[in-house]
Amino acid sequence: MMALATLVAGLIAFVAVLKGLAVERHAVSAIRIAQNAVNVIADPELNDDAKEKHVQRATFSLLGSVAVLFAIGVAACLTAAAFVVGGGLLGLADIDQTVGIATSWTFILWSSAGAVLLWLALTKLGARRGAGERGHKDERDEVPYSPLDKALHNFAFAAPERQITLSAMEDRLWRRTIESASSERPVFITSLPRAGTTILLELLANQKEFASATYRNMPFTMAPLLWGRFSGVFRKAGEKAERAHGDGIIVDFDSPEAFEEMIWMAFWPQHYESGRIGLWTESDRKTDFESFLARHMRKIVAAAPGARRYISKNNANVARLPLLLTAFPDAQVVIPVRNPVAQVASLMRQHQRFTELHRRDRFARQYMEGIGHFEFGAALKPIAFPGAPQSAEGAEHVDYWLSYWICAYEHILDTAPVGTAFVDHDALSNNPVLHLPRLAEALGIGDRGSLLSAAPMFRAPKAPPSLPGASPDLLKRAFELHATLRGRALQPVPFDKKAG
C-alpha cells in the first residue's frame, strides 16, 4: 500500500514540476519558432539571403528551446524518482515492489489517465486565477489559432497535391457512400464580395436539402469525409465569435464557408500568377477537374444526413460563369447585387482592415491565400475583368474600386448563363417576406415555409454612405449599371402557404 502511495506522490510531483517550470509555454514557443521559420520560407516577398539568415537564427533558437524542454523533463523525472528512492531509504516502501507496480500495465494505464486529469485540473485552476487577475476581460486572439493549428494549416496549404492524394484515398475508403450520394441541381452563389453572398449561403445552407462546406472541413478541405472522421476524435464544440471581417456575422466550426476555390487553384495554378486572377472560358474544360469537383460535391452532401443538394459561396466564380454551367448544366447560379456606393464603401473598409491585419499577422495573409481568398489586404489579386485594374496598385483610392465594380458587373452581365438568378440584396433585406418566395421558386426549394421562417435574419440596409473623391463619371456609370442589374433581378411573388 505504501509503495502505491509513494508512486502516486511521485506522479503528482512529476506533473507539478512540469507545470511549475512552464513546460507547456516552452513547448508552444518551440512550435512557434518552427512555424515562423516555415512562414518565412513560404513568403514570396523575401529573398533567399533573408530567408537563410532567419532560418539560421530560428535553428539556434529552436535548439535552445529543445535544451530547455529536455532539462525540464529531466527535472520532473528526477523529482518523481526522489520520492521512490526516498521512500525506500526511509523504509516506507520496498523499492523492488515499487518498481514492479510502476512497470505494470494497470498502473501505467491509470497513472497516465490520472496525470492527464491532474494536468487539466491545474490548467483550469490557472485559467480561473488568470481570469480573476484580468478582471474577467475577454482577450480572444484576433486570429484564434494556436501554433500547432497554424503549422497544420500551412502543411495543408503548401502542396495541393497532398490534398488531392488524400481525396483519392478517401475515394477508395468511402466509394459506396460517395457513389450513392446525390448532388442534383447544385447551387453556386457568387458575386463580388460584400454583395450579400454570405447571408444567402447561411440562409440556404440551413435548409435541410442543402449541404455546404463548413469551418470543420479546414484545413484538409478536399477530403471532407476522411478528415471529418479523423478530426472527430478530438473535435470540440466551437464558441461562436465574430469573423475576421468585423461585420457582425457570427460563426463557429459548423458555420458554412467558402473553401471551393482551393480546388480551382489546384487544377489551374497558372490563373493566379502575375498578381491577378485570369478569366476562364467554355473552352477551358478539364475532365479530371470536373470529375473531382463532382465527387467533392457528393462528399459534402454525404457528410450531411438528409441533404441531397450541394451549395457553395465562391466570389471568384464570377470569373468562370460560362465554364461552370457548361461543366454542370443542371446547376443554378445565384448572383446578389447591391447598391454600388454601399458595396464599394464596404470593399474599401475591408481592404483597409485586412491590409492592417496582414501587416501585423503574417499567418492571417497566408490563411487567406491558402483558401483562395484574394479579395482584400496584402493578399489582393483582382480578377482580370476587361478594362479593370490588373494589379493591386492604387487600391487605396475609391476610383480603383468603383472601376473594378463596373468592369466586374459588366462582365457578369455579358457572361451570365440563361437562368441565372440575380437577387436584389437591398430589396431582399428590406422585405424578405416578399422576396424569399421568389427565390424559393427559382431554386426549386421543397420546404418553402422553412425558408420563409428565416426572414428575421435579414436587416434593412442603412442609407448608402458618401464616397469622397469618387469620379462623377464612374458614379454615373455605376448607378446606370446597377439599374440594369436590378432589372434582371428576381421579381417578388406572393407567398402561397399551400405550396410552402
Side-chain angles (χ1 to χ4, degrees):
M1 191 68 180
M2 289 302 297
L4 181 60
T6 300
L7 286 172
V8 171
L11 178 66
I12 294 172
F14 177 81
V15 174
V17 170
L18 291 179
K19 199 68 174 175
L21 295 179
V23 67
E24 187 175 14
R25 176 169 59 82
H26 289 290
V28 168
S29 176
I31 294 173
R32 185 176 288 114
I33 291 169
Q35 178 62 44
N36 287 338
V38 172
N39 291 346
V40 168
I41 292 172
D43 192 339
E45 295 185 355
L46 295 178
N47 58 41
D48 291 341
D49 289 339
K51 291 180 180 180
E52 183 178 358
K53 290 179 181 178
H54 184 93
V55 170
Q56 287 175 349
R57 290 195 299 268
T59 300
F60 287 113
S61 298
L62 190 59
L63 287 174
S65 295
V66 170
V68 171
L69 288 171
F70 179 77
I72 292 174
V74 170
C77 291
L78 289 176
T79 301
F83 275 82
V84 175
V85 175
L89 294 176
L90 294 174
L92 299 177
D94 181 75
I95 292 182
D96 290 337
Q97 183 184 11
T98 303
V99 172
I101 295 173
T103 55
S104 66
W105 70 268
T106 51
F107 180 80
I108 293 173
L109 177 64
W110 288 108
S111 64
S112 299
V116 171
L117 292 175
L118 178 59
W119 181 275
L120 293 175
L122 292 173
T123 300
K124 189 172 183 180
L125 180 63
R128 286 180 177 176
R129 184 176 300 168
E133 293 173 355
R134 294 192 305 267
H136 302 285
K137 180 182 178 182
D138 183 5
E139 297 183 351
R140 182 183 297 112
D141 291 336
E142 192 162 12
V143 182
Y145 285 111
S146 70
L148 186 59
D149 290 329
K150 293 178 181 180
L152 184 63
H153 278 68
N154 279 337
F155 176 81
F157 296 156
E161 295 80 10
R162 294 172 187 159
Q163 300 240 19
I164 293 174
T165 299
L166 281 178
S167 180
M169 184 187 305
E170 181 179 68
D171 293 342
R172 294 190 292 270
L173 293 173
W174 279 273
R175 180 176 57 83
R176 292 183 181 179
T177 300
I178 296 168
E179 289 177 351
S180 63
S182 168
S183 61
E184 62 184 37
R185 296 179 297 139
V187 173
F188 297 101
I189 301 170
T190 185
S191 193
L192 282 191
R194 317 308 298 163
T197 52
T198 297
I199 196 169
L200 279 180
L201 175 65
E202 291 190 347
L203 168 74
L204 297 174
N206 285 331
Q207 306 306 305
K208 292 181 179 179
E209 65 188 86
F210 289 109
S212 168
T214 70
Y215 285 95
R216 289 200 186 276
N217 295 128
M218 286 294 291
F220 296 101
T221 59
M222 298 188 208
L225 297 175
L226 181 61
W227 177 243
R229 179 66 60 87
F230 177 76
S231 64
V233 175
F234 48 88
R235 180 171 295 165
K236 57 184 177 181
E239 179 183 352
K240 287 185 175 293
E242 186 178 14
R243 64 178 185 163
H245 297 67
D247 52 8
I249 294 179
I250 306 301
V251 297
D252 61 13
F253 286 126
D254 295 309
S255 297
E257 189 42 284
F259 299 129
E260 187 184 85
E261 190 65 12
M262 296 175 72
I263 300 175
W264 291 87
M265 290 194 298
F267 283 86
W268 275 282
Q270 69 277 12
H271 275 251
Y272 301 84
E273 298 172 352
S274 302
R276 61 190 180 91
I277 300 174
L279 298 173
W280 283 256
T281 68
E282 289 180 273
S283 61
D284 289 323
R285 297 190 65 177
K286 289 184 178 181
T287 55
D288 54 345
F289 161 78
E290 292 173 21
S291 298
F292 188 96
L293 183 54
R295 287 196 306 275
H296 178 77
M297 291 192 287
R298 290 198 297 272
K299 293 173 183 180
I300 295 294
V301 171
R308 65 178 187 277
R309 300 177 68 183
Y310 171 81
I311 185 169
S312 77
K313 180 200 82 169
N314 188 349
N315 297 116
N317 273 342
V318 294
R320 55 183 80 107
L321 293 175
L323 175 62
L324 197 63
L325 267 292
T326 300
F328 304 101
D330 66 333
Q332 176 70 66
V333 173
V334 179
I335 301 178
V337 295
R338 184 184 179 190
N339 179 290
V341 171
Q343 189 172 355
V344 166
S346 184
L347 287 167
M348 291 184 66
R349 284 195 303 272
Q350 291 301 318
H351 179 63
Q352 293 167 359
R353 179 183 182 87
F354 279 96
T355 297
E356 177 60 21
L357 175 60
H358 294 164
R359 184 188 64 79
R360 296 194 310 270
D361 189 341
R362 189 194 306 269
F363 176 74
R365 173 181 177 178
Q366 291 177 324
Y367 178 92
M368 288 185 68
E369 292 175 335
I371 62 177
H373 285 199
F374 299 103
E375 297 97 337
F376 307 115
L380 175 62
K381 285 186 179 183
I383 297 173
F385 302 115
Q390 299 296 298
S391 72
E393 184 178 354
E396 69 282 355
H397 195 276
V398 62
D399 282 354
Y400 176 99
W401 294 101
L402 260 178
S403 176
Y404 189 63
W405 189 96
I406 292 167
C407 295
Y409 285 102
E410 285 179 342
H411 180 77
I412 289 170
L413 283 175
D414 289 341
T415 59
V418 175
T420 296
F422 287 88
V423 176
D424 186 336
H425 172 72
D426 301 299
L428 173 61
S429 299
N430 268 315
N431 196 340
V433 173
L434 189 62
H435 289 267
L436 285 176
R438 184 65 183 94
L439 179 62
E441 180 183 272
L443 300 183
I445 294 175
D447 190 353
R448 300 185 185 183
S450 174
L451 189 71
L452 190 65
S453 68
M457 69 188 295
F458 290 89
R459 296 287 183 272
K462 298 178 181 178
S466 61
L467 290 178
S471 162
D473 180 61
L474 289 178
L475 282 172
K476 180 175 181 293
R477 289 176 58 193
F479 283 125
E480 290 174 349
L481 179 56
H482 182 237
T484 301
L485 290 164
R486 293 186 66 191
R488 291 278 299 272
L490 299 173
Q491 299 303 308
V493 296
F495 176 63
D496 186 346
K497 292 186 177 180
K498 294 181 179 179

